[in-house]
Amino acid sequence: VKDTIYQKGKLSTFGLAYLCDELAISDSVLLKLFLYEGAIPIVKGNVSQGPFSIHSNNNVFGEAVNPFNLLRSCGGSSGGDAGLVASKCVPFALVEDTCGGIIIPAAFCGIYGFKPT
């Protein structure tokens, strides 16, 4: 699942319009771990509609663009998160990497993507 960090009572659409009315019924395991350590969730970045896309665009929130050039993409599938980090809105973002979801947006936005596997 693309959006592995979800918060109870919040939308977690994965970029899919049919999930716009579905609120998360519990916190994800990863979010629980970070909350336990004192983290404060700030914002969720935009994602592509479904996996395996190199551009973050969906019918729910629209297009995520590169913070340095609004005519360019910030990559995908976690491009919205890369854009938030590159524009210094957040210090870091936690994303899932199935097929380049970390390295492609990081490269598009000039930031470092770390995949600890």
Side-chain angles (χ1 to χ4, degrees), residues 46-85:
N46 202 13
V47 297
S48 58
Q49 186 173 352
F52 311 118
S53 176
I54 60 167
H55 184 61
S56 290
N57 188 18
N58 63 62
N59 293 331
V60 179
F61 300 108
E63 179 180 22
V65 294
N66 191 300
F68 303 113
N69 184 339
L70 302 181
L71 299 176
R72 297 187 181 266
S73 172
C74 58
S77 58
S78 302
D81 291 306
L84 289 169
V85 172

Side-chain angles (χ1 to χ4, degrees), residues 9-25 60-61:
K10 305 287 184 187
L11 278 179
S12 201
T13 65
F14 313 104
L16 302 169
Y18 79 91
L19 293 175
C20 281
D21 296 326
E22 300 290 327
L23 299 179
I25 58 174
V60 179
F61 300 108

Side-chain angles (χ1 to χ4, degrees), residues 102-103 106-107 111-115:
I102 292 173
I103 58 172
I111 60 174
Y112 181 76
F114 177 67
K115 183 178 177 181

